[in-house]
Amino acid sequence: MTTGLVITIFVALAFDFVNGFHDAANSIATVVATRVLTPVQAVAWAAFFNFIAFAIFGTAVAATIAKDVVDPKSLTIAVVFAGLIGAIAWDLITWWLGLPSSSSHALVGGMAGAAVAHGGWLTLLPEGFRKIGVFIVLSPVVGLLLGFTLLTILLWAFHKTTVKQLLNKVFRRVQLLSAAAFSLGHGSNDSQKTMGVILALLIAAGLLPPEADVPLWVVLSAHFAIALGTALGGWRIVHTMGSRLTRLQPMSGASAETAAAITLFFTAAHGIPVSTTHTITGAIVGVGTAQRLTAVRWGIAGRVVWAWVLTIPGSFIIAFLAYLPFRWFAT
Amino acid sequence: MVRYLRRRIGRPTRFFFLIAITGVVMIWPTPDKYRVVPLLASGLAFLWCILFFLEDLGRGPRDEIPGKEGKAAGDAVFAPPPHR
């Protein structure tokens, strides 16, 4: 392995770490907002399930990232490095601003920007972008509908229950399970993107054949990096996700997480890289809507949507600029 | 016509109609393998839209008073008289 390859693999794992750090709030916001767990307990819980997700899901999402977004022939070490820089920079900017934008789409935008800087627009694979673009819209919509439907069913099923404290106690326990399920989905979907990047690097460096599967050491290191990022957590975004969008009770928190987890399990199984941020935000809006439409603070939801819209272009531009020095040195 | 529809059709109905249309629009660009997702999503959204619409039909026209969503027009007529 060359020095450049090793450094880029470390940068990829750093992206995974930043992803976990940036997205930690997704996993813990609802359980912290409903006071089921303290923030420290919540991050430990989420980090553990982020890590063990490797034992449950395959690597279909990794394959999509490695082969279906950008022409694999254009994925040089410099391109991947610049793409990761674009994604990490965007993640840090939105983390600082407290906006839950998508780390996944930052990665896609970053890789696209660097690839275009390297080899022009023809390096982009339309079918891969089509799949990703469609699920940018569909994942929050599905999360919203499932969250709304689940909570409505639960409210109907328990509408005669007079002992609210008992109901809250039961759903606090249920939220532990739903938070675990969501963290499994998050760990699987998001760490697979880094695995895909590292796989692409190893193929580009000639260390693996093009049809190779993800090596075990890559799987374990990616899951470890995201779990570590989650464990070190991002409190800044928790406030937006958990309480500013809508007020959550244990039942609605459990419904939101379960809805998001179902969506993530489906997409992980089918190799679709989606945004866990979009999905859980859509689910939280859905449960808020089940209470009443005015329960959702649409102004804040609007700011969140703007962060989504700007993510791919933003990370694209940063990665494009980050690649230019490599181009100048090569000429 | 628009004003009449706004008085008869509640916001939840309009919201889910919008979600359903989004799902329908997304059917076209979605790869064949995944078309079942927007199909099911728009189907579920239409179901909720219809359920909320049936609820709207059961109520009378509502006044579009900002902040007073859901208040039927008839409430103003049958409000209790002020205390003297």
Side-chain angles (χ1 to χ4, degrees):
Chain A
M1 279 196 188
T2 63
T3 308
L5 178 64
V6 170
I7 290 171
T8 308
I9 289 174
F10 269 108
V11 174
L13 292 172
F15 169 76
D16 213 17
F17 171 86
V18 169
N19 188 355
F21 188 86
H22 183 271
D23 287 358
N26 296 343
S27 303
I28 71 168
T30 52
V31 285
V32 169
T34 54
R35 296 168 207 228
V36 172
L37 295 173
T38 65
V40 171
Q41 291 169 333
V43 290
W45 186 254
F48 173 73
F49 285 100
N50 272 172
F51 182 70
I52 68 166
F54 80 91
I56 298 168
F57 297 96
T59 54
V61 174
T64 300
I65 293 289
K67 297 163 191 170
D68 294 349
V69 176
V70 169
D71 184 359
K73 294 192 195 76
S74 64
L75 282 177
T76 64
I77 294 172
V79 166
V80 174
F81 183 83
L84 289 167
I85 294 298
I88 291 171
W90 186 259
D91 260 3
L92 291 173
I93 290 167
T94 51
W95 170 78
W96 181 254
L97 293 172
L99 294 173
S101 71
S102 167
S103 303
S104 313
H105 297 137
L107 179 64
V108 169
M111 299 294 282
V116 166
H118 170 71
W121 293 95
L122 293 177
T123 55
L124 303 182
L125 298 176
E127 277 305 307
F129 274 93
R130 184 180 160 196
K131 182 164 78 172
I132 292 166
V134 156
F135 278 89
I136 285 176
V137 177
L138 287 179
S139 61
V141 167
V142 170
L144 187 154
L145 285 169
L146 282 178
F148 180 89
T149 306
L150 269 171
L151 184 60
T152 303
I153 291 170
L154 287 172
L155 286 171
W156 179 80
F158 292 103
H159 73 279
K160 287 190 180 165
T161 305
T162 50
V163 185
K164 301 293 176 199
Q165 289 92 340
L166 180 63
L167 201 60
N168 278 340
K169 195 174 172 184
V170 167
F171 276 96
R172 281 196 161 89
R173 302 281 183 271
V174 171
Q175 251 197 293
L176 287 174
L177 296 175
S178 61
F182 178 79
S183 294
L184 279 174
H186 172 234
S188 165
N189 210 293
D190 283 23
S191 60
Q192 281 198 53
K193 288 155 199 156
T194 300
M195 287 184 225
V197 168
I198 297 176
L199 176 66
L201 274 172
L202 294 172
I203 292 172
L207 295 172
L208 288 176
E211 64 280 1
D213 206 354
V214 185
L216 181 64
W217 69 267
V218 175
V219 174
L220 290 175
S221 55
H223 276 282
F224 178 74
I226 201 170
L228 191 63
T230 299
L232 294 177
W235 176 252
R236 281 181 75 92
I237 307 175
V238 171
H239 193 54
T240 303
M241 294 290 289
S243 56
R244 288 175 68 192
L245 272 179
T246 188
R247 252 182 232 285
L248 290 177
Q249 300 295 325
M251 189 191 290
S252 46
S255 301
E257 281 166 342
T258 305
I262 292 170
T263 310
L264 292 173
F265 288 173
F266 173 85
T267 52
H270 288 85
I272 306 167
V274 294
S275 166
T276 49
T277 311
H278 289 200
T279 310
I280 189 65
T281 303
I284 290 174
V285 170
V287 300
T289 307
Q291 293 163 353
R292 64 182 190 284
L293 274 178
T294 50
V296 180
R297 297 186 180 90
W298 294 102
I300 293 171
R303 283 181 64 205
V304 170
V305 169
W306 271 112
W308 292 344
V309 167
L310 295 173
T311 291
I312 290 184
S315 56
F316 182 101
I317 290 167
I318 297 173
F320 187 96
L321 295 172
Y323 182 78
L324 290 179
F326 293 101
R327 205 166 159 182
W328 293 328
F329 281 125
T331 55
Chain B
M1 177 73 175
V2 171
R3 199 171 164 184
Y4 174 76
L5 284 172
R6 283 188 72 186
R7 291 178 70 205
R8 285 309 299 264
I9 299 174
R11 285 183 189 177
T13 308
R14 289 181 247 160
F15 177 73
F16 281 102
F17 183 73
L18 184 63
I19 298 289
I21 293 300
T22 303
V24 167
V25 166
M26 293 310 297
I27 291 170
W28 168 67
T30 303
D32 291 344
K33 192 176 164 188
Y34 307 113
R35 277 214 171 125
V36 65
V37 174
L39 274 168
L40 288 175
S42 54
L44 184 58
F46 269 123
L47 177 66
W48 284 117
C49 180
I50 290 165
L51 289 172
F52 278 113
F53 183 63
L54 291 173
E55 193 183 32
D56 292 337
L57 289 179
R59 285 196 279 229
R62 68 197 72 233
D63 284 331
E64 284 291 332
I65 303 168
K68 302 248 187 253
E69 176 189 310
K71 202 170 163 64
D75 285 356
V77 175
F78 297 107
H83 289 292
R84 291 188 185 171

